[in-house]
Amino acid sequence: AEPMTYAFFNPADQPGSGGDVEDEPGSPAPAVDYSTIALCAAPSAKPLLELAEYWRGKCQGRALPRRPSIDPAEIVRHLPWIFMADVIAGGADYRYRLLGTSIVSGNYRDATGRSFQELYSADPAKLAGARLGFDQALATAAPAFTHGRAFWRPDWAFDHFESVFLPLAGDGDSIDISFGELAYLKPG
């Protein structure tokens, strides 16, 4: 088999897309195959590894960085793919605090402010898949990586994704936010 190479998904670059949800109100959103989401030792997407290294550098002798340690001006190229979620009741649920513009555009919806229970509770497999990376980062207080399959419109070549999940602690000890980055990928 040939080795896989990857390129980042940009909704605006795809056929028939202006990159704006309003340009295609009837277009189907990409669908993640939640049954394929799994933890992985490391992603192939270098930007995810870079963000994990950035997080490690922000620990500065502490077990976990604090939220104010993360400076958007230092991670500008990652911002369109960044997500951030509040940890609710010690991990009983999560609520999206922030979703980057490319995540919103690529998924044709903005779930900012919505909890995982609200978004995924009707389907236990979706809920488990959505929680996996967040739960791992919460349990280990360390970066977690996931990967899986995503199904797109037939004319879009992107069919995989990888993610990094990075825990933050407002008080320096208790994880109250998890942030990370999502990479939609294609074989190349």
Side-chain angles (χ1 to χ4, degrees):
E2 291 189 29
M4 300 289 272
T5 58
Y6 296 95
F8 271 96
F9 165 74
N10 180 352
D13 292 342
Q14 300 309 302
S17 174
D20 189 316
V21 174
E22 293 178 6
D23 289 347
E24 298 184 307
S27 294
V32 169
D33 181 350
Y34 287 86
S35 69
T36 68
I37 297 176
L39 295 171
C40 59
S44 63
K46 289 181 183 174
L48 302 182
L49 293 169
E50 291 168 5
L51 192 63
E53 278 306 308
Y54 173 81
W55 177 90
R56 286 181 186 98
K58 294 298 181 175
C59 288
Q60 300 174 341
R62 294 184 303 269
L64 298 163
R66 294 184 172 106
R67 165 59 191 94
S69 300
I70 307 303
D71 182 355
E74 296 173 345
I75 55 173
V76 171
R77 80 182 207 109
H78 299 271
L79 294 178
W81 295 105
I82 291 287
F83 56 84
M84 189 175 285
D86 294 316
V87 177
I88 300 171
D93 199 4
Y94 301 94
R95 179 179 299 110
Y96 286 118
R97 171 187 282 241
L98 174 126
L99 291 168
T101 55
S102 288
I103 294 174
V104 171
S105 180
N107 287 287
Y108 295 107
R109 71 173 179 173
D110 186 354
T112 302
R114 296 179 72 189
S115 74
F116 285 25
Q117 287 293 325
E118 179 184 352
L119 292 166
Y120 309 115
S121 66
D123 185 335
K126 283 185 179 180
L127 181 59
R131 291 182 58 97
L132 184 62
F134 289 98
D135 287 346
Q136 181 71 9
L138 180 62
T140 62
F145 302 101
T146 63
H147 62 174
R149 291 196 37 87
F151 299 95
W152 301 85
R153 291 177 12 175
D155 55 338
W156 290 14
F158 298 86
D159 66 354
H160 292 80
F161 70 91
E162 295 176 342
S163 301
V164 60
F165 301 82
L166 305 161
L168 302 174
D171 64 4
D173 294 314
S174 301
I175 299 169
D176 55 357
I177 297 173
S178 188
F179 94 106
E181 186 171 10
L182 172 65
Y184 288 120
L185 308 163
K186 67 178 179 180

